[in-house]
Amino acid sequence: MTGRRELVFLVFVVVILLGGIAFDVMSSDVAEQTSIAAEGERFESRAVFCPPASGKAKANTYFTVASGTGEDTVVGTSSGVDEPADLAADQIQSFHSERSDALDIVGFGSTVVASGISARRDPSGAGAAQCASEASERWYFAAGSSSIDVTEKILIYNPFPDEAVVSLGAITPRGELSRTALRDLAVPAKEWRTIVFSDVVQVKNTIAVEVETRRGRVVAWRETTAFGKRVTKGIEFDLGAPAPEMQWYFPDGAVGEGAEETISLLNPGEQEAVVSVILATPEETLTPPDLVEFVVPPRTQRVISVGDYTGKKKSELMSVSVIVTSLNGQPVIAERVVSLDTEDLSGRSSELGATETSPAWFLGPAARAPSADAVVVMAPGSEDVTVDLTILSENGSLLAPAELQGLQITAGSRIKVAIGEWTRGEMMGVIVSSDQDVVAERFSYSEGAADISALMGQPIKMLP
Amino acid sequence: MASTAQSTQTRPQPANGEPSVLAVVVTHAEREWLTECLVSLATQTYSTLDVLVVDDASGDHRGPPSLKRVVKRHLRKRRWGYLRTPRPLGFGGAINWALSRVRTDADLLLFIHDDAALTPESVEKMVARIGADPDTAIVGPKIMNWDNEHILEEVGMAADRFGYPYKGLDEGEIDSGQHDRASEVFFVTSTCMLVKHGVFRQLRGWDARMRAFSEDLDLCWRARIAGHSVRFEPEAKARHAIALATGKRTSPYVPTRYFIRRNRLRAVTKNASAIRLLGLIPLFVLLSIAEMIGFIVIRQPREIWNLVKALGWNAARLPQTLAERRRVQHKRRVPDSTINRYTVRLSTRIRSYLGNQTHRIEEAWGRRAELLSQRGHEARAFGQRMKGWPIALTVLAVVGFLIGFRHILWAEQASVGELLPFPEGGAGMWKAYISPWNHAGLGGPGPNPPAFAILGFIPMLTFGAASAAQKVMILGLGGVAAWGAYRLVYELVDPPARWVSAATYGFGAVGYAGLREGRLGAMFFAAAAPFVLAAMIRLIGWARPPEWRRNQSIALIALGGAVSAAFVPGSLLLYVIAAVMLLIPKLILDHKGETFRPLLQCFLGLLIAWALLLPWSTSWFGDGGALNALFGDDTWRGYANTFRDDGMASTLLGQTPDGPALFGLAMPLLGIIAVAVADGARRKMALALWTVVVAMGWIVDLISAGILRPFVPSPTEVGVLAALAFAGLAGIAVGAFRLDLSRRELSWKHAASIGALALSGFLIAAGMGPALWHGEWNAGETAGGVGPEVVAQVSSLLDAEAQQTGPFRALWIGSGWSSREPTGARPGGDSFLTGAREPQLQDLFTPQSDADGTLDVVIASIEEGATDRGGELLGAFNVNFVIIEDGPRAGGWLAQRDLALIRTEDDYFVLRNQVELPRVGVYSELPVYVRALEEGDPRLSAGAEVQKTALSTSGPNGYRGRVAGEGMVFLAASEEGGWKATADDLALDRVPGGWGNAFALEEGPSETQVVEVTYPRSIVALFVLLITILAWIATVGAAVSRKRRKIRGTIA
């Protein structure tokens, strides 16, 4: 009797067990827990890092800041230059630093975009550069020179509370140059340091710079001052590129009589890069055969003189836009240098290209008291674009002249719009908004400094 | 039984006016001394003496000769009476009962034990003494030893403030007249005392509820309170056999110490003055705890139970005692200060007590020596048996253990999941337990989990060596688990099979998975589970040892359940399921007698387990509680996800919890052998264990399918009982092979069994061998992360910093420092906030508060790149360091402009916050970033920083500092409202302080003020804690106590 009971019970247990296995096989697992997002508004307070002026008392730095999201925000400086102030979405705020310090401009509540102008009296010149939205372990400058008539300085700012250690490297068309004096340079916490690159590297007409941190992260700008007789005088001032990219856009540029435009390509990688360079003149888009599959060997720099490929007479001054695209997946750095020496304009500017397109851009002032002021907008897409320009003044007034609204750009081309009539020699910002993705750049000429300056736009988010 | 009374003589009228005396002799069973007592009364020189013999319901009163006959024979010359109580009432109760039934005009009452005999002049002397002083109401004689009348037993008694009696005599002290001075004493014993009848009536007689022992103390104390004297008369002598207290006669009033304790406590409660009583009660409780600990040391846990029973008896009768007290105190004529002249000092009492206890310890150690001797014999016998292959197996196991556990044995402290470093010493854990504030994470109000208290004992074993404590804990848990598995099948199989069960469980999956996943809770659960399951098996009736005691099994369930649930609260539900699973086959296969009573007893044990975890266990179902996942929102999915790869199949194959694969395969095979080969009780037990395995498999199935919400955090915890059942099956399989197979006729079953067993052995060897060789019993083996050596580096850094700057929090980002998967101690998360310094065991069971939500937003803001000033936001939470693993999440942290990178290693970074906000500080106004956090508006943090003064730590829950001027006191610990702040002892007003506590500090009269911030402890909470501790001690006592008879028998 007991034995039979045991048998029945055993069968019962086995059936339940098999049922469990069957259930195990047939049932689906419980839905995976989605990561629980933290509830509540984010604490938005981000700084952009703006460049110092390298020339001590001879230079002044001006910063212009605007809301990066199109929302009202509070803006301040971490060094307490000014009290925090409310910044409306359609307003810019300017700071003037006599101390030549690098500055952290903080947007509380939303991000801000900012750019800086370095103005110098002896030798006279002016340059504009973007403020960096982040620090990085690497910075690249594709153009540059250490020739006798040029002083090239690398300005390195460490915005963090721990010391950074950086090493600089020079890359030429023939390959890398290594200098002990450029190795393991300490940048104290929350301070900046100038490295006169041209004092260390022997004479090179063209040279790229790579900044690499051994410890910490920094922001790097390059200021190149050309003052000799054999070169066009002026100041180039720009923010480095934190990483190589697959595509670079240069809306503005000039070739022709008294103008020279070069595109410097730097391949910091260990594999050769194959790039194509497309030129866009006001009339046509050019793809010179030599530039269709242009090879940049690893760890080298190549310089392309744009005027050699436009197919026009050199006496004719015209604007040329450039698009650089890597074809083999090896990203590169591209930088444009323009020098002008015409009756109306003279000076130098250099700018790293834009790496993305956007329907909205902020263009800070490129010169302190521009006598000529223009916005260049490029439509790299396949559709025609309608663009509106809005001029922002420091006092909060908003200018949207009818002439600057509804500007049409044919697909693949660009327009250059003079805005000096409205900026009237003052430091004003410009918002470029369009119905398609575009790239925008600002060009200014400062008669007092006798120098041109260019400033690549900064993409922003606009509220609907 | 009706009482009878008889009187045969007529007492002559007192010629000289001498007071009449009625002697009352109370007798109860065994008449060895009664005759002599009666003779001594009959031969008294005092003439007006009547005798009333009260038989307290003796069982042997019918004789032969009958008791009444004996009385009659010896008291022929006196007027005498005989009464018999209907039931045993005790000494005092019997007298009260008898005097209520006889009419007596006696002036004096002489109470005397039936094992005492007076010298002929004693009554005369005592009457003379009582007559000499009108205040004297009670007189007692000199008490001598029954067998040797030169040895003193009593010369009047004293007592201390707790009512402990004090003789003032040395052991075996010879009477040479050194105490022959008639004097007032605190009390005389009921051995023999002469009491004025009127006073006795006024005092309402004896306290009948006391039954036996200490009733004399009570009577004399009451007499003294009423303004009477108690005297000792040295010229009156009585011999006393002390038959009841020394066990010379059988007594219904055992255990003696229980009655002594309970009556003493009642006497104190009734008679001590109110002020004195207030001071005495807490002292009494503390003394009781000390005594309990002492009893554990000398291995007399039964005494703990006696003590607890005595406390319980008094607690239950407190209203009645208080009513008695009112009557006593109403008659008070003499203050306690006067009575205290006759009590002994505490120091005297302690000396005496220690002397007595030393004697008891010596006695206990004597027994222990006997036991040790016996154990020595057993060990030698064991050694003899271990010769040959057993010794080879033992050596193999030890070598395998050393190899397999080498990463634990010779490594730094593990820091993974719930396996976190011990603080130095155990005091930290105990403080954490009794603290009303849990400092882990952002902190929160208690109650704290009793797991802290349990863990606090472990560093004691290593004299505070923290690293060794962790190793001892891990290995000890394995050892206890193995021992439990050995006992689980103790009654069913022979020793080799028991060892198989022990080894299978000790080396098996729970320890393997628990250690690798850092699941401390699962390991504690695994260590306690065999004892609980074994107790359930015995309660339900599957197997019972010869001297099995039901109450002990319930206590074991309570104790094991409490230990398990202290770490894994859901384990109580698993135990409930296991009890039901064990009962079902019992009802079907072997139903005899009881049906559901054993199940209810199992549940009772588990209910006690829950009660032992009070008050923490009341918080299980609340927000953030350990079992909140059963009812809360989607957080249960986090736990359920850990069950995704498990189910019935994995349970069946020994992979729930994870174990070496081939080893796991051997488990079901052994289970099949157990059912197929075993006979009788073993087979039934095997089937019962299989039901447990199947039940656990279904639980895993249902949780992984999302049908059942997870009540334990991972399959490892569910797998504890499955692994234990498999270990039992393995033992039964081997036992059946050795004991049952040989009794069967030779058949194919023999070959199949041998083959299956050989295959199981091979699978076990093939599974365990590589695992041992690779040292896979390694903490955090499967959790990934940065390893204990890294934790040690960071810990030393933080520790050094904490010593300089005081406590701070550290934020650990990533899964390497603590398992991202939920654990029994805390839900899963991507970050882990320590209470202070590095993660330590106190950081287990992190309470959740609203501030955690704000901190989550801050962390998200940093990682999403919304802010690069995270330091100031974290500073508001007193986070001074951030430790983060290298990876995609690190970018956001490294971009923070106020977090300094102070250490970079291959796989982690350490960031130091530049914006340190002290845990408690005084500010000129609310810090800007706190204000920003409070209002959720980061723009507010753009304001100018305010001046601050940090307060230093003062005690476990307090901060203190001297501050000048006015300001705001801000506590960056929690928004919990129980914190209080004072300035020069004046309470400060609370003001809005966001997620923290803020108090307005106004300028004081002096230049500086002493500001204190504390989290006060509630008296009620402390009382509950004390009660809980007592309950734990009592349960331990009940669970580990042994029958004393057995020990004595062993000695004999």
Side-chain angles (χ1 to χ4, degrees):
Chain A
M1 186 66 184
T2 307
R4 183 178 296 172
R5 276 190 186 180
E6 284 176 9
L7 190 63
V8 170
F9 187 77
L10 178 63
V11 171
F12 174 72
V13 170
V14 169
V15 167
I16 299 290
L17 191 151
L18 292 176
I21 293 174
F23 182 84
D24 197 6
V25 171
M26 290 189 295
S27 67
S28 56
D29 287 331
V30 63
E32 191 162 356
Q33 185 186 22
T34 51
S35 66
I36 300 167
E39 293 176 8
E41 289 290 315
R42 296 293 180 263
F43 290 94
E44 289 197 28
S45 60
R46 282 190 61 86
V48 289
F49 310 118
C50 291
S54 64
K56 297 183 182 173
K58 292 177 182 175
N60 287 319
T61 317
Y62 303 87
F63 308 100
T64 302
V65 57
S67 167
T69 57
E71 297 170 85
D72 295 348
T73 186
V74 174
V75 65
T77 58
S78 59
S79 57
V81 171
D82 290 296
E83 284 294 311
D86 293 331
L87 181 68
D90 50 2
Q91 191 183 349
I92 61 171
Q93 174 90 26
S94 290
F95 300 93
H96 175 210
S97 172
E98 292 286 356
R99 295 186 301 169
S100 305
D101 283 340
L103 197 65
D104 298 352
I105 296 178
V106 188
F108 298 100
S110 72
T111 57
V112 292
V113 287
S115 60
I117 300 169
S118 181
R120 183 186 295 275
R121 286 195 294 273
D122 185 20
S124 68
Q130 291 178 352
C131 297
S133 59
E134 61 179 355
S136 172
E137 292 173 349
R138 290 172 188 275
W139 290 94
Y140 301 100
F141 300 92
S145 171
S146 65
S147 63
I148 292 171
D149 299 324
V150 175
T151 301
E152 181 167 313
K153 297 174 184 174
I154 305 295
L155 313 178
I156 298 176
Y157 173 47
N158 173 13
F160 296 114
D162 21 72
E163 185 186 73
V165 178
V166 300
S167 292
L168 278 66
I171 300 175
T172 68
R174 293 191 174 186
E176 290 182 78
L177 294 174
S178 178
R179 294 289 180 271
T180 307
L182 296 176
R183 289 195 162 275
D184 298 333
L185 307 170
V187 185
K190 294 186 181 292
E191 291 186 17
W192 64 280
R193 176 174 182 164
T194 303
I195 294 127
V196 184
F197 196 75
S198 51
D199 285 355
V200 181
V201 178
Q202 63 203 56
V203 176
K204 298 285 177 190
N205 286 330
T206 173
I207 191 166
V209 178
E210 180 184 45
V211 178
E212 183 183 4
T213 61
R214 306 283 181 211
R215 180 176 153 189
R217 294 194 297 176
V218 295
V219 184
W221 294 269
R222 189 194 59 209
E223 185 190 80
T224 307
T225 310
F227 51 85
K229 293 178 181 174
R230 288 173 293 180
V231 293
T232 306
K233 293 178 183 173
I235 291 176
E236 300 165 15
F237 192 30
D238 54 2
L239 173 69
E245 296 286 348
M246 301 298 291
Q247 200 141 35
W248 295 87
Y249 302 97
F250 298 93
D252 198 14
V255 293
E257 182 68 39
E260 186 179 358
E261 178 182 351
T262 58
I263 300 293
S264 298
L265 298 171
L266 168 65
N267 177 7
E270 299 299 333
Q271 294 178 339
E272 72 172 18
V274 179
V275 302
S276 82
V277 179
I278 299 170
L279 310 177
T281 65
E283 295 89 21
E284 58 184 339
T285 300
L286 301 172
T287 312
D290 293 351
L291 302 182
V292 171
E293 290 189 346
F294 187 78
V295 174
V296 186
R299 308 293 297 167
T300 57
Q301 178 212 39
R302 287 281 187 267
V303 178
I304 298 167
S305 178
V306 177
D308 295 346
Y309 299 96
T310 53
K312 298 285 180 182
K313 291 178 184 174
K314 292 208 171 181
S315 59
E316 191 178 339
L317 184 64
M318 66 174 180
S319 298
V320 180
S321 300
V322 178
I323 300 173
V324 177
T325 307
S326 172
L327 301 176
N328 68 340
Q330 175 63 38
V332 295
I333 312 291
E335 185 172 3
R336 182 200 65 207
V337 177
V338 174
S339 64
L340 285 175
D341 191 6
T342 64
E343 287 181 10
D344 302 326
L345 305 169
S346 68
R348 309 175 63 87
S349 74
S350 69
E351 203 67 19
L352 283 142
T355 58
E356 60 178 312
T357 59
S358 169
W361 293 82
F362 169 72
L363 297 166
R368 187 172 170 239
S371 49
D373 206 350
V375 171
V376 186
V377 183
M378 177 186 190
S382 56
E383 292 181 38
D384 292 350
V385 175
T386 304
V387 175
D388 298 328
L389 301 184
T390 306
I391 296 171
L392 310 178
S393 70
E394 202 173 339
N395 61 14
S397 64
L398 188 71
L399 297 173
E403 295 88 334
L404 302 182
Q405 309 303 306
L407 303 170
Q408 297 294 318
I409 309 174
T410 312
S413 68
R414 36 93 78 187
I415 58 168
K416 186 168 189 173
V417 183
I419 58 170
E421 184 184 341
W422 294 281
T423 56
R424 292 186 301 239
E426 293 178 13
M427 294 205 304
M428 291 192 181
V430 179
I431 298 285
V432 177
S433 55
S434 72
D435 55 355
Q436 300 289 333
D437 281 354
V438 294
V439 182
E441 185 180 358
R442 189 145 179 198
F443 170 83
S444 295
Y445 177 68
S446 175
E447 215 165 57
D451 198 3
I452 59 168
S453 54
L455 184 65
M456 198 61 70
Q458 296 176 74
I460 56 174
K461 295 172 186 171
M462 292 298 293
L463 289 179
Chain B
M1 174 71 72
S3 60
T4 59
Q6 209 151 30
S7 178
T8 57
Q9 292 284 325
T10 303
R11 175 168 56 80
Q13 289 299 313
N16 51 1
E18 62 182 8
S20 57
V21 177
L22 173 64
V24 183
V25 181
V26 180
T27 182
H28 176 79
E30 298 176 37
R31 306 174 196 165
E32 187 179 341
W33 308 275
L34 178 64
T35 308
E36 204 160 338
C37 172
L38 295 177
V39 169
S40 78
L41 288 172
T43 57
Q44 283 298 308
T45 56
Y46 195 75
S47 56
T48 51
L49 173 68
D50 300 336
V51 181
L52 173 65
V53 176
V54 183
D55 174 11
D56 191 19
S58 303
D60 58 350
H61 72 286
R62 292 183 190 283
S66 71
L67 189 55
K68 196 165 73 177
R69 194 178 184 84
V70 172
V71 173
K72 184 178 179 181
R73 182 188 302 165
H74 293 93
L75 293 177
R76 274 177 301 191
K77 295 178 182 173
R78 295 279 176 188
R79 206 159 72 111
W80 63 276
Y82 170 81
L83 286 172
R84 176 176 162 74
T85 62
R87 62 181 188 284
L89 298 174
F91 183 79
I95 293 173
N96 287 355
W97 178 85
L99 290 180
S100 70
R101 274 160 180 73
V102 297
R103 181 174 292 175
T104 175
D105 54 355
D107 301 309
L108 302 167
L109 298 172
L110 178 74
F111 303 122
I112 184 165
H113 288 189
D114 65 344
D115 58 345
L118 289 163
T119 54
E121 302 84 16
S122 289
V123 175
E124 187 180 343
K125 298 292 183 189
M126 284 196 287
V127 171
R129 175 59 58 196
I130 210 166
D133 176 13
D135 289 340
T136 302
I138 300 174
V139 171
K142 185 194 285 186
I143 309 291
M144 316 298 293
N145 187 274
W146 181 269
D147 299 318
N148 184 346
E149 57 188 38
H150 298 295
I151 294 177
L152 288 167
E153 291 293 351
E154 290 169 25
V155 287
M157 299 289 285
D160 68 2
R161 62 177 66 182
F162 300 108
Y164 284 91
Y166 178 68
K167 283 184 179 180
L169 294 174
D170 291 331
E171 188 71 27
E173 185 172 331
I174 302 294
D175 180 21
S176 53
Q178 69 273 35
H179 298 290
D180 286 355
R181 195 178 67 234
S183 56
E184 273 201 60
V185 292
F186 188 71
F187 76 102
V188 293
T189 65
S190 59
T191 303
C192 177
M193 61 163 65
L194 186 69
V195 186
K196 283 181 178 171
H197 192 171
V199 174
F200 185 76
R201 293 281 177 193
Q202 179 199 355
L203 297 175
R204 296 168 62 92
W206 297 94
D207 186 338
R209 288 180 184 272
M210 291 189 170
R211 310 296 289 273
F213 305 110
S214 299
E215 71 279 24
D216 39 17
L217 166 76
D218 174 65
L219 182 73
C220 295
W221 200 340
R222 283 187 281 140
R224 284 207 161 277
I225 288 171
H228 304 289
S229 296
V230 178
R231 287 187 176 275
F232 155 68
E233 174 51 54
E235 291 188 32
K237 291 182 181 176
R239 290 185 299 131
H240 189 200
I242 321 178
L244 198 64
T246 55
K248 290 176 185 171
R249 76 183 339 164
T250 53
S251 163
Y253 309 114
V254 287
T256 310
R257 285 180 179 279
Y258 157 66
F259 281 95
I260 292 173
R261 280 201 177 87
R262 76 165 210 197
N263 292 348
R264 201 170 57 220
L265 182 55
R266 181 174 165 88
V268 171
T269 311
K270 280 165 57 181
N271 302 320
S273 67
I275 295 171
R276 167 154 294 202
L277 197 60
L278 280 177
L280 283 180
I281 286 172
L283 275 174
F284 195 91
V285 172
L286 287 176
L287 209 61
S288 299
I289 292 172
E291 270 196 293
M292 288 179 185
I293 293 167
F295 288 134
I296 289 175
V297 171
I298 62 174
R299 275 188 67 85
Q300 293 191 1
R302 183 177 284 273
E303 292 293 341
I304 298 171
W305 178 236
N306 290 338
L307 190 48
V308 172
K309 262 202 325 185
L311 291 173
W313 185 89
N314 274 285
R317 287 158 183 79
L318 192 59
Q320 194 271 335
T321 308
L322 292 177
E324 283 286 318
R325 173 182 168 78
R326 272 194 297 276
R327 285 193 203 103
V328 173
Q329 299 301 325
H330 183 68
K331 293 172 184 165
R332 181 179 281 277
R333 299 286 178 274
V334 177
D336 262 6
S337 54
T338 305
I339 298 173
N340 285 347
R341 287 203 294 261
Y342 307 104
T343 59
V344 290
R345 287 181 186 171
L346 193 59
S347 57
T348 309
R349 169 62 206 153
I350 288 171
R351 275 202 306 277
S352 166
Y353 177 81
L354 290 179
N356 289 337
Q357 291 306 321
T358 305
H359 184 71
R360 296 187 69 189
I361 290 169
E362 284 171 358
E363 187 187 346
W365 284 354
R367 289 205 304 275
R368 188 95 350 248
E370 292 281 351
L371 275 177
L372 285 174
S373 169
Q374 188 191 354
R375 295 280 185 267
H377 285 299
E378 287 173 2
R380 280 192 288 278
F382 178 75
Q384 292 291 326
R385 287 200 302 274
M386 288 295 284
K387 280 181 180 172
W389 67 267
I391 211 163
L393 277 179
T394 307
V395 170
L396 203 64
V398 170
V399 171
F401 165 77
L402 291 175
I403 294 173
F405 285 76
R406 63 183 180 273
H407 294 307
I408 286 292
L409 293 171
W410 289 283
E412 295 289 337
Q413 288 194 81
S415 180
V416 58
E418 299 158 5
L419 270 177
L420 295 172
F422 265 104
E424 297 294 330
M429 299 303 301
W430 288 333
K431 278 182 192 167
Y433 172 57
I434 63 171
S435 169
W437 185 257
N438 186 341
H439 285 277
L442 287 176
N448 284 300
F452 290 171
I454 296 170
L455 290 167
F457 284 103
I458 294 167
M460 284 176 64
L461 303 174
T462 57
F463 303 101
S467 179
Q470 195 185 59
K471 293 173 177 54
V472 165
M473 177 181 71
I474 292 169
L475 301 180
L477 289 174
V480 171
W483 179 42
Y486 182 91
R487 286 173 51 85
L488 183 73
V489 291
Y490 194 89
E491 290 83 22
L492 292 167
V493 295
D494 61 347
R498 292 176 208 154
W499 282 114
V500 168
S501 190
T504 307
Y505 191 57
F507 277 96
V510 181
Y512 183 85
L515 202 55
R516 288 157 65 91
E517 295 170 11
R519 293 194 181 274
L520 182 64
M523 289 195 284
F524 266 92
F525 179 22
F531 298 94
V532 177
L533 213 63
M536 286 178 174
I537 285 170
R538 284 159 193 175
L539 267 180
I540 291 171
W542 284 113
R544 285 176 179 170
E547 293 192 351
W548 173 76
R549 282 180 290 151
R550 189 176 300 273
N551 290 346
Q552 192 176 28
S553 287
I554 294 173
L556 268 171
I557 290 173
L559 189 62
V563 170
S564 307
F567 293 87
V568 184
S571 62
L572 289 185
L573 294 175
L574 286 175
Y575 284 137
V576 167
I577 294 164
V580 173
M581 289 300 118
L582 289 171
L583 182 71
I584 289 172
K586 180 71 178 168
L587 294 178
I588 295 172
L589 302 177
D590 194 22
H591 187 204
K592 293 171 190 169
E594 298 171 324
T595 306
F596 292 110
R597 192 172 161 218
L599 189 66
L600 293 176
Q601 286 165 343
C602 290
F603 291 170
L604 173 66
L606 295 174
L607 189 66
I608 296 171
W610 179 84
L612 287 174
L613 301 177
L614 285 171
W616 177 65
S617 49
T618 56
S619 68
W620 287 357
F621 298 99
D623 280 347
L627 294 178
N628 184 245
L630 285 172
F631 309 102
D633 51 18
D634 255 10
T635 52
W636 66 274
R637 291 182 184 277
Y639 292 89
N641 285 337
T642 62
F643 288 74
R644 292 169 67 89
D645 299 329
D646 293 83
M648 178 65 82
S650 65
T651 308
L652 188 65
L653 297 176
Q655 294 303 303
T656 299
D658 287 336
L662 294 177
F663 174 83
L665 276 177
M667 294 299 108
L669 194 56
L670 286 167
I672 293 169
I673 296 172
V675 174
V677 178
D679 277 336
R682 274 187 282 276
R683 175 183 286 186
K684 290 171 187 170
M685 188 71 237
L687 285 169
L689 291 175
W690 264 113
T691 58
V692 173
V693 172
V694 171
M696 295 303 137
W698 265 105
I699 289 171
V700 178
D701 258 355
L702 293 174
I703 294 176
S704 67
I707 296 170
L708 181 67
R709 286 202 175 190
F711 49 89
V712 289
S714 78
T716 306
E717 283 81 2
V718 180
V720 166
L721 294 184
L724 181 58
F726 271 134
L729 286 169
I732 292 175
V734 174
F737 183 79
R738 291 168 57 83
L739 303 172
D740 296 334
L741 198 63
S742 58
R743 290 205 295 265
R744 295 187 174 185
E745 287 183 11
L746 196 62
S747 69
W748 63 270
K749 278 190 176 177
H750 285 75
S753 304
I754 291 169
L757 204 63
L759 180 59
S760 301
F762 169 77
L763 288 173
I764 288 174
M768 296 297 272
L772 288 169
W773 181 252
H774 293 120
E776 290 181 4
W777 281 264
N778 187 11
E781 182 79 12
T782 56
V786 290
E789 67 283 351
V790 170
V791 177
Q793 288 174 11
V794 179
S795 294
S796 61
L797 169 81
L798 299 182
D799 195 35
E801 188 67 26
Q803 284 174 6
Q804 289 185 356
T805 63
F808 54 78
R809 294 189 177 97
L811 182 64
W812 305 68
I813 302 291
S815 60
W817 307 95
S818 64
S819 175
R820 190 175 297 177
E821 288 184 349
T823 74
R826 56 178 182 273
D830 293 337
S831 61
F832 175 46
L833 191 66
T834 69
R837 306 186 191 180
E838 72 277 20
Q840 292 196 335
L841 275 171
Q842 292 102 319
D843 290 317
L844 290 177
F845 301 101
T846 307
Q848 295 290 307
S849 65
D850 292 342
D852 285 284
T854 311
L855 180 63
D856 288 344
V857 174
V858 170
I859 292 172
S861 301
I862 291 169
E863 296 188 347
E864 292 170 11
T867 181
D868 57 1
R869 295 294 296 272
E872 62 185 24
L873 298 171
L874 291 173
F877 293 93
N878 186 229
V879 173
N880 285 14
F881 287 87
V882 178
I883 301 94
I884 181 165
E885 284 176 58
D886 195 5
R889 299 179 70 192
W893 291 93
L894 293 173
Q896 302 305 305
R897 290 179 298 132
D898 41 13
L899 293 178
L901 183 68
I902 59 169
R903 181 174 287 197
T904 306
E905 299 291 344
D906 290 341
D907 42 11
Y908 74 99
F909 306 101
V910 180
L911 304 170
R912 181 189 183 122
N913 194 355
Q914 299 291 292
V915 188
E916 295 173 2
L917 183 73
R919 188 158 283 186
V920 185
V922 180
Y923 302 81
S924 53
E925 58 184 85
L926 198 64
V928 288
Y929 27 90
V930 174
R931 208 169 61 224
L933 284 173
E934 178 195 354
E935 300 187 16
D937 184 356
R939 281 175 285 194
L940 294 174
S941 66
E945 190 46 84
V946 295
Q947 290 185 329
K948 65 187 175 192
T949 308
L951 299 189
S952 54
T953 308
S954 162
N957 302 305
Y959 302 88
R960 183 187 172 94
R962 188 170 280 278
V963 180
E966 60 182 9
M968 175 173 285
V969 181
F970 184 76
L971 170 79
S974 168
E975 78 279 29
E976 214 284 323
W979 288 90
K980 309 281 181 207
T982 60
D984 285 344
D985 298 328
L986 294 174
L988 299 183
D989 292 332
R990 183 178 291 275
V991 292
W995 66 274
N997 277 268
F999 304 89
L1001 174 66
E1002 293 176 2
E1003 202 155 357
S1006 54
E1007 194 174 329
T1008 59
Q1009 304 178 80
V1010 175
V1011 175
E1012 281 186 287
V1013 180
T1014 53
Y1015 191 82
R1017 186 193 307 277
S1018 141
I1019 295 291
V1020 175
L1022 193 65
F1023 181 72
V1024 171
L1025 209 61
L1026 275 174
I1027 295 293
T1028 310
I1029 292 169
L1030 287 175
W1032 270 90
I1033 293 170
T1035 311
V1036 170
V1040 304
S1041 67
R1042 292 180 180 181
K1043 286 190 174 178
R1044 188 168 292 181
R1045 231 179 302 148
K1046 185 185 173 189
I1047 297 174
R1048 284 180 177 165
T1050 308
I1051 296 167

